[in-house]
Amino acid sequence: MNKKRYNPKDFWERRLEKNFNLKGVGYAKLGEQYNKWLYKARIRTLDQTIEKHNISCENKKILELGVGSGFYVNYWKKKKISEFIGIDITEKSVKELSSAYPEYKFIRADISSPDLPIKEKFDIITVFDVLFHVLDEDKFEQIIQNIKKISHEKSIILIMDSYLKHSYQESFHVKLRTLSRYIEVLKKNEMKIKVIKPIFYFMSKPLNSKFLHSPRLLLWYLIASIIVLFDNSGKYGKVLNNLIGKLLYSIDKIILKYNINGPSTKLMVISRNNYN
């Protein structure tokens, strides 16, 4: 395991200063072209979940914890929401997004702080690909406590993470937690899981323990190596990465139609205990 010290504020400030785009917030080594397809898959899953579970977005108040480069802001804007607030630990994010979306509010804050500078309640709260970057368990629990404080009895909470059977630290800034750990902390805060939907099958690195020593993982390393090679090969390489992304996106769409399990990132829908 990499022993490099992880300072979230410095780490993300540097990444976003270098790439204020999907490469900066996503799978950095795979380049922006492939990341566009990874995020398109996230939107596909989000759309399917909102439609299937009749989650109303129009005239709703949305809070995004860890807003990053603001990829999802336009998504919610098109849903005709009434209010959007994005919180991020970086100055870069808040500065850029405040300029790009003056109609919305962006706040620089640590979402694991017990003194989160938000007092109002929100209809939909999102935490997308953020919590596995929180290494400390007390801070993880504090974030869930914060979500409870700023949600009401009918709030919907949407979280993207892997929800594994076995927890492990994948890199110096990524800690993968178990589904049972989520259930434990959510229950403590009077919240319950409504549904978990996989986002990827072949498109992203398999993280589930049953794949860690299998041909499936070797296949991913082969795919990733080709994408990295093409991303460093100029304009034509980027075109090829776009085609690889499109192909795997289409394959995943078919597989996930019939397979309720996925080996990596999933979307979890959470509600308060007193609301079905």
Side-chain angles (χ1 to χ4, degrees):
M1 185 178 69
N2 197 327
K3 296 294 183 182
K4 226 166 145 183
R5 188 171 176 274
Y6 175 52
N7 180 306
K9 168 74 169 65
D10 294 344
F11 178 82
W12 291 106
E13 203 75 70
R14 283 196 305 270
R15 272 186 66 153
L16 292 182
E17 281 289 349
K18 186 177 180 181
N19 294 293
F20 194 74
N21 52 30
L22 296 183
K23 184 175 178 179
V25 294
Y27 219 130
K29 290 182 180 179
L30 301 184
E32 192 171 7
Q33 293 303 315
Y34 189 76
N35 270 287
K36 283 179 181 177
W37 286 101
L38 290 173
Y39 275 82
K40 191 172 180 179
R42 288 174 169 93
I43 290 295
R44 174 177 64 198
T45 307
L46 191 53
D47 268 337
Q48 290 171 346
T49 304
I50 284 173
E51 182 180 354
K52 183 174 180 180
H53 297 278
N54 298 311
I55 298 172
S56 174
C57 300
E58 191 168 348
N59 296 319
K60 299 298 184 183
K61 293 167 64 174
I62 313 292
L63 174 68
E64 182 170 358
L65 301 178
V67 68
S69 65
F71 172 79
Y72 296 98
V73 180
N74 270 331
Y75 176 84
W76 295 115
K77 187 175 183 177
K78 289 174 185 175
K79 298 285 185 186
K80 299 179 181 177
I81 60 172
S82 65
E83 182 182 341
F84 180 93
I85 294 180
I87 296 180
D88 202 84
I89 200 170
T90 69
E91 293 174 11
K92 177 69 173 177
S93 173
V94 172
K95 179 183 175 183
E96 294 288 343
L97 296 177
S98 296
S99 176
Y101 302 98
E103 68 272 39
Y104 299 139
K105 187 175 181 182
F106 299 92
I107 301 168
R108 188 174 76 81
D110 181 348
I111 63 170
S112 67
S113 168
D115 302 314
L116 197 67
I118 294 285
K119 303 301 177 189
E120 57 189 302
K121 310 281 188 182
F122 294 85
D123 302 304
I124 298 174
I125 300 168
T126 72
V127 200
F128 292 157
D129 300 300
V130 171
L131 293 179
F132 51 77
H133 295 297
V134 178
L135 307 185
D136 184 87
E137 287 302 315
D138 290 336
K139 289 186 176 183
F140 171 71
E141 291 203 23
Q142 183 62 57
I143 293 169
I144 304 299
Q145 288 176 38
N146 288 344
I147 290 172
K148 179 185 176 183
K149 289 176 191 173
I150 54 182
S151 61
H152 54 71
E153 64 175 14
K154 293 185 179 180
S155 293
I156 294 293
I157 297 100
L158 303 170
I159 300 178
M160 289 183 188
D161 205 332
S162 299
Y163 316 115
L164 303 177
K165 288 185 178 180
H166 304 285
S167 176
Y168 65 97
Q169 190 160 339
E170 205 225 1
S171 74
F172 77 97
H173 64 96
V174 173
K175 181 177 183 178
L176 301 170
R177 291 181 176 85
T178 62
L179 175 58
S180 60
R181 176 65 174 143
Y182 265 92
I183 292 170
E184 173 196 353
V185 180
L186 291 170
K187 186 177 180 181
K188 194 187 296 184
N189 287 280
E190 301 175 315
M191 289 184 265
K192 63 182 178 183
I193 299 167
K194 294 186 74 175
V195 68
I196 299 175
K197 186 171 177 59
I199 298 173
F200 309 116
Y201 197 82
F202 285 116
M203 286 191 80
S204 187
K205 180 181 177 180
L207 301 169
N208 195 311
S209 58
K210 75 176 183 178
F211 291 108
L212 292 182
H213 303 286
S214 74
R216 173 70 183 79
L217 184 62
L218 294 176
L219 175 61
W220 164 251
Y221 282 132
L222 176 61
I223 292 169
S225 297
I226 292 170
I227 294 169
V228 171
L229 179 64
F230 285 165
D231 191 60
N232 295 317
S233 302
K235 181 173 69 175
Y236 294 111
K238 289 180 177 24
V239 170
L240 290 169
N241 273 351
N242 187 59
L243 291 174
I244 293 172
K246 186 175 183 179
L247 175 63
L248 293 178
Y249 174 89
S250 302
I251 293 171
D252 274 15
K253 183 178 180 180
I254 294 167
I255 292 174
L256 294 174
K257 209 171 176 183
Y258 305 100
N259 191 329
I260 60 169
N261 296 312
S264 58
T265 310
K266 304 171 188 72
L267 173 64
M268 178 187 283
V269 181
I270 300 160
S271 67
R272 297 290 291 267
N273 274 347
N274 54 352
Y275 183 68
N276 292 317

